[in-house]
Amino acid sequence: ANAEKWVLTVTAQTPTNIAVIKYWGKGDEDLILPINDSISVTLDPDHLCTTTSVAVSPAFTHDRMWLNGKEVSLSGGRFQNCLREVRSCANDVEDEKEGVLKSLKGLGDLHVHMCPTIDFPTAAGLASSAAGLACLVFSLAKLMNVKEDHSRLSAIARQGSGSACRSLYGGFVNGSFLKEENGSDSIAVQLADEKHWDDLVIIIAVVSSRQKETSSTSGMRETVETSMLLQHRAKEVVPERIIQMEEAIKNRDFPAFARLTCADSNQFHAVCLDTLPPIFYMNDTSHRIISCVEKWNCSEGTPQVAYTFDAGPKCRINFTQTEKLLPNFFKGCSFHFPPNSDTDLNSYVIGD
Ligand code: 2P0
């Protein structure tokens, strides 16, 4: 009877990540196999984090999930795939207090309850799915006493969302693309840890927190089906950029990092524009931010600031040497920053 009463719970937090070389397009939609490598920076865990509590108990009759406190359907293939993969790695758990061995191997008839909390706008291009799926997989793996390493967990998180594999690591991360057909080597690899480039500062400007009109998943599908530019990008451009970006990160070479980051953001949005029907993720404010940064960099002769935009209008701005540059940059902007009541521009300042 005692065995029927137990509940095991785990809570984990995972930060989101920002791609500086973008993933856009899948070779296999079910396995979520990106068509090219990507490189990202994982944010400081104090900001834009998701928190997930998971529980397992013989008293649970089926798997359930509450997203931000509201129950959501688990019928989607992605959650099921992640859940199935983590379950298959489950191990028995020794409970220290009660001294009872919880038999989790294969999970038998045991079901899980999952409660992810995302405290920033979802589907607004802030990579909420990256942090959310990474956190879900990580917390389930802890709950089920999974022994596999982070790289295996990253491959499982990738099946929830392509960008999620990168959030399993801090610092600078490469989300590697398909080489094996089953995706077993489509994993995340840490390039450098979070201490590697201390004076790199990231600012996130939420130009609009409205939900984007085209989801990443359907946008990518349409791009793969209709854009000729995407093939050129995936085969000819990104492989070279990955090598250059890895070098720039290794050497903390901000001008090279900035040039590659801006160029890749712009090419990603060019590929979206090359899609039929065209996808517009940026708005007028996004374009003004680009002009502002480009003018600033041009006047300095060498890049001082980098921008990158994902599948939404918000912007990530990268600086080095913050104290000197931040006040000057904001003086050079024609819009209010930080925001005031006259604008819908909100800001999150990430890092010190
Ligand atoms: C990235 N993005 O590398 C790129 C840049 C958006 C622009 O990964 O379908 O939410 O779940 O694999 O991971 C957004 O795509 O899409 C994304 P799915 P995901 O961060």
Side-chain angles (χ1 to χ4, degrees):
N2 197 30
E4 295 304 309
K5 282 185 192 156
W6 61 263
V7 180
L8 290 180
T9 61
V10 164
T11 298
Q13 278 198 319
T14 310
T16 190
N17 69 75
I18 299 170
V20 289
I21 302 292
K22 310 289 189 194
Y23 142 56
W24 196 253
K26 301 178 185 71
D28 182 311
E29 280 226 14
D30 294 329
L31 287 170
I32 309 193
L33 296 175
I35 61 168
N36 59 254
D37 279 26
S38 55
I39 294 181
S40 63
V41 188
T42 300
L43 296 183
D44 182 323
D46 294 340
H47 306 276
L48 296 191
C49 228
T50 61
T51 307
T52 301
S53 295
V54 288
V56 59
S57 169
F60 298 161
T61 51
H62 52 287
D63 297 329
R64 296 172 76 181
M65 177 150 79
W66 291 262
L67 175 61
N68 289 341
K70 200 172 157 219
E71 184 153 17
V72 291
S73 161
L74 272 175
S75 57
R78 291 167 172 225
F79 288 123
Q80 294 297 349
N81 289 348
C82 288
L83 206 47
R84 189 193 60 241
E85 294 276 318
V86 184
R87 270 180 206 274
S88 72
C89 306
N91 289 295
D92 292 345
V93 176
E94 186 84 49
D95 185 272
E96 281 175 19
K97 272 192 211 144
E98 297 178 30
V100 177
L101 188 74
K102 315 297 188 206
S103 181
L104 295 182
K105 209 164 171 68
L107 271 193
D109 290 333
L110 294 179
H111 295 282
V112 290
H113 285 182
M114 299 164 277
C115 303
T117 311
I118 300 175
D119 62 1
F120 54 91
T122 54
L126 283 167
S128 51
S129 68
L133 267 302
C135 198
L136 192 68
V137 167
F138 184 78
S139 53
L140 285 171
K142 287 280 164 229
L143 182 74
M144 297 182 195
N145 199 16
V146 167
K147 306 273 201 272
E148 272 71 5
D149 62 12
H150 273 42
S151 86
R152 172 78 187 114
L153 295 186
S154 78
I156 298 176
R158 191 209 69 239
Q159 294 180 56
S161 191
S163 51
C165 69
R166 301 184 310 232
S167 270
L168 262 299
Y169 294 96
F172 297 84
V173 185
N174 182 327
S176 295
F177 80 117
L178 165 73
K179 292 169 197 81
E180 298 289 339
E181 261 185 22
N182 65 2
S184 58
D185 63 350
S186 202
I187 57 169
V189 177
Q190 189 183 51
L191 301 172
D193 71 16
E194 49 278 17
K195 293 187 214 78
H196 173 70
W197 200 343
D198 262 352
D199 63 350
L200 184 75
V201 172
I202 298 168
I203 290 179
I204 299 191
V206 181
V207 174
S208 162
S209 58
R210 276 204 303 266
Q211 290 215 341
K212 56 197 171 195
E213 283 170 22
T214 310
S215 75
S216 298
T217 305
S218 63
M220 275 185 218
R221 186 183 309 129
E222 287 164 15
T223 304
V224 167
E225 283 168 4
T226 63
S227 168
M228 289 198 295
L229 183 55
L230 182 71
Q231 297 310 320
H232 170 68
R233 168 176 165 74
K235 292 198 179 88
E236 311 292 333
V237 180
V238 174
E240 186 69 18
R241 270 188 193 156
I242 291 282
I243 295 167
Q244 292 168 348
M245 184 59 97
E246 290 188 355
E247 198 62 18
I249 291 168
K250 193 173 105 195
N251 299 326
R252 293 186 282 266
D253 176 352
F254 188 76
F257 175 84
R259 279 190 203 100
L260 289 163
T261 298
C262 297
D264 205 69
S265 173
N266 291 332
Q267 190 178 68
F268 156 56
H269 290 279
V271 155
C272 289
L273 203 58
D274 191 45
T275 301
L276 198 69
I279 306 166
F280 307 99
Y281 283 128
M282 293 194 285
N283 65 16
D284 287 350
T285 309
S286 323
H287 293 138
R288 280 165 60 201
I289 292 172
I290 293 180
S291 299
C292 194
V293 172
E294 292 289 352
K295 271 186 211 143
W296 164 271
N297 285 343
C298 191
S299 70
E300 293 288 318
T302 178
Q304 310 288 309
V305 183
Y307 56 81
T308 189
F309 294 80
D310 283 340
K314 61 89 214 17
C315 171
R316 279 80 188 253
I317 306 172
N318 297 350
F319 294 87
T320 56
Q321 302 172 340
T322 350
E323 302 80 3
K324 182 175 143 247
L325 289 176
L326 275 182
N328 287 337
F329 177 72
F330 292 136
K331 234 190 292 168
C333 289
S334 56
F335 46 79
H336 293 281
F337 205 115
N340 64 22
S341 53
D342 297 326
T343 168
D344 66 347
L345 191 75
N346 299 306
S347 71
Y348 295 88
V349 179
I350 308 299
D352 297 326

